[in-house]
Amino acid sequence: MLDNECKPKKILIVGGGTAGWMAANLLATKWKGTEICLVESKEIGIIGVGEGSTPHLKFFFDAIGVADPQWMPRCNATYKNGITFDKWSTHQGFESYFHPFEAQTDDLFTTPHFFKNIQARKQGYNVDAHPDKYFLETYLSRNNLGPLPEETFPFGVAYGYHFDSALLGQFLAENAESLGVTRTYGNVQDVIVNNQGNLSSVKLGDGTTLEADFFIDCTGFSSLLMQQTLKVNYKSFKDNLFNDSAVVMPSEITQALPVETKSTALTNGWAWKIPLRNRFGNGYVYSSDYIDGDQAETELRQHLGLLESDVQARHLKMKVGRVEKHWHKNCLAVGLSQGFIEPLEATAIALSFNTVTQFMQYFGEGKGTNKFEEAFNKDINSRFDGIRDYVVCHYKANQRTDSQYWLDNAANNNISDTLNRILSLWKNSNDFAADMYKYKLMGSYQPKSWACLLAGYGVFPQKNIDPSIDYSAHQQEIDDLSNFIRRCALNFKNHNDLLTL
Ligand SMILES: Cc1cc2nc3c(=O)[nH]c(=O)nc-3n(C[C@H](O)[C@H](O)[C@H](O)COP(=O)(O)OP(=O)(O)OC[C@H]3O[C@@H](n4cnc5c(N)ncnc54)[C@H](O)[C@@H]3O)c2cc1C
C-alpha cells in the first residue's frame, strides 16, 4: 500500500549490518511518514569487517544531517585521503603509488600536466609521469595532513574515512531509532510470498509475523529475500576476480595516525592496513585456489611482524559478484545481499548508498509503481560492473612474477569489453582522458583514476630514450607543480590535531 505521496506505508528492513542501518537512516530521513521497522538476528550477527570508505560515506552523513564530530569519535574514525598501492608493480620507480580522492585544485591546475606528461612518456620522452607528483591529497597523505582545509582555502577536497564497523553500526542504529525506526530482534525463518509473487510478511523463530508493503533485504551474503526467496539470479565475478577469502587481525596503532589505507601485494593476494584511533585493522585478501587459510594467516602475521603474537585471527569467505536485479517485485537488496566486489577500493558502502538513494528517486518518479525497475537495475548493475572493471585492472596491470597467482592474474583474458577498450585506449590514444569521455568508458571512475592506476604501475611502452633531449623545462614544470601543491597544503592541519578538535 502507498500513502498519498506514493511512498510505501510500511517498510520492513531485514538485517542490521551497516547496509541495513544505512538504509534505515536514509529512508527515515527522506521518506517521513513511512513506518520503518528493522529486524536483525542476535545469533547470526554482522560480518564485522569493512572499515574503509570512499567519499560516499560523507555524502551519506550529509544526507542524514550528521556532522563528522558527532559520529567520528564514537566510531574511532580517522580521515582518509586515498589508498597507497605498494609492491603491485616491479617496474623500477613504480613500486608504489597513491590513488587520491578528488580535489578541485587537481582538476583545475595539476591534472592537465599529468595527462600531458603521460602522453609524452608514451611517446618515449623521459618525463616524470608517476602520479605521486601531481595531486594534493597525495602530498597531504605523505605529510600526515588531514583533508579539511582552513576556511580561507577556496577549493573543495573530497575525503573518506576509516572506522570501526561494529561501532558505526551501533551509532547508525541509535540515530535511526531517534528518527522513529522500530528495532526488533529475531531470526527470520520463513518468508511469505502472495499470489502476485510479492513478499507479504516474514515469520520469526518465536512465531511472530512481521508484515510490510515493501521489504529491504540486508541479510548479508545469505540474501534471504532476494536470492533465496525471490530466486533472483546471481552473476559471479569469479572468472574476473580470483579472491574468495580473507583473514583479518588487529595490530598496534602508531602515534601519528596515517591518513590513508595501505594495500600491499603479498604472494597470493594483498593486505590492507587501516588506521583507526585505537588500532590498525589488517586483512589479507587471497584466493583459496592458490593458498590455504593457515598459510595466509602465517603470511599475514609475518607481514605485520606478529608471528610470535597470540593476537586472534578471523577467517572469512567472500562471495564476489552481484544479483541481476537489485529491485524486484516489492523488494530491494542492499549491501552484501545484492553483491560484493572484493574490498581493494573499499566501495561496498558507496554501492549501498547509491542503491538506496537511486531507488528512492526511481520509485518516486514511477509514482510508487515498478515502472522504472528495469532502468534502476541497469543503473546499479553498471555501477557494480564499472567498479569490477577498475578492480580487475589492478590485477591485469600487476607486474609481479613471484607466484602463479600473479602470473595468472596478469594473463587472465576474462575481462569485460569495456576494460579491453580502456586498455587499448591507454596504449593507442593520443588523448586518453578525452577519448574516455568520447567513448563513454568511465563507468564508476574518472579518467584521472584510470590514469593513476596505469601510470602508477608504470604501464608504458619500452622505448629508447634519446639522451640528447634537454629536460630542464620539464624539470621546471615539475618543480613549479611541487611548489604549488606544497603551498596549497599549508592550509591543512596535522591529522592527529584535526581529530582532537
Ligand atoms: C573481507 C572484507 C573486507 C571488507 N572491506 C570493506 C571496506 O573496506 N569498505 C567497505 O565499504 N566495505 C567493505 N566490506 C563490505 C562490508 O563489510 C559490507 O558491505 C558491510 O559490512 C555491510 O554488510 P551487510 O550489512 O550487507 O551484511 P552483514 O554485516 O552481514 O549484516 C547482515 C545482517 O542480516 C542479519 N540476518 C541475516 N540473516 C537473518 C535472518 N534469517 N533473520 C534476521 N536477521 C538476519 C544479520 O544478523 C545481520 O544483522 C568488506 C567485506 C569483506 C568480506
Side-chain angles (χ1 to χ4, degrees), residues 16-47:
T18 314
W21 287 116
M22 279 180 75
N25 276 279
L26 285 167
L27 290 163
T29 305
K30 302 287 173 198
W31 277 358
K32 292 206 184 337
T34 293
E35 185 185 344
I36 299 166
C37 175
L38 184 146
V39 60
E40 61 187 317
S41 161
K42 282 186 181 165
E43 289 111 81
I44 297 170
I46 60 167
I47 189 155

Side-chain angles (χ1 to χ4, degrees), residues 27-93:
L27 290 163
T29 305
K30 302 287 173 198
W31 277 358
K32 292 206 184 337
T34 293
E35 185 185 344
I36 299 166
C37 175
L38 184 146
V39 60
E40 61 187 317
S41 161
K42 282 186 181 165
E43 289 111 81
I44 297 170
I46 60 167
I47 189 155
V49 282
E51 307 200 316
S53 85
T54 62
H56 293 78
L57 187 55
K58 165 87 176 126
F59 307 156
F60 164 75
F61 276 116
D62 287 347
I64 63 167
V66 172
D68 290 355
Q70 288 172 270
W71 74 273
M72 287 183 71
R74 289 264 319 266
C75 303
N76 281 326
T78 64
Y79 287 109
K80 174 177 170 187
N81 292 324
I83 307 176
T84 286
F85 292 90
D86 208 19
K87 299 191 174 72
W88 285 69
S89 169
T90 52
H91 278 315
Q92 207 186 352

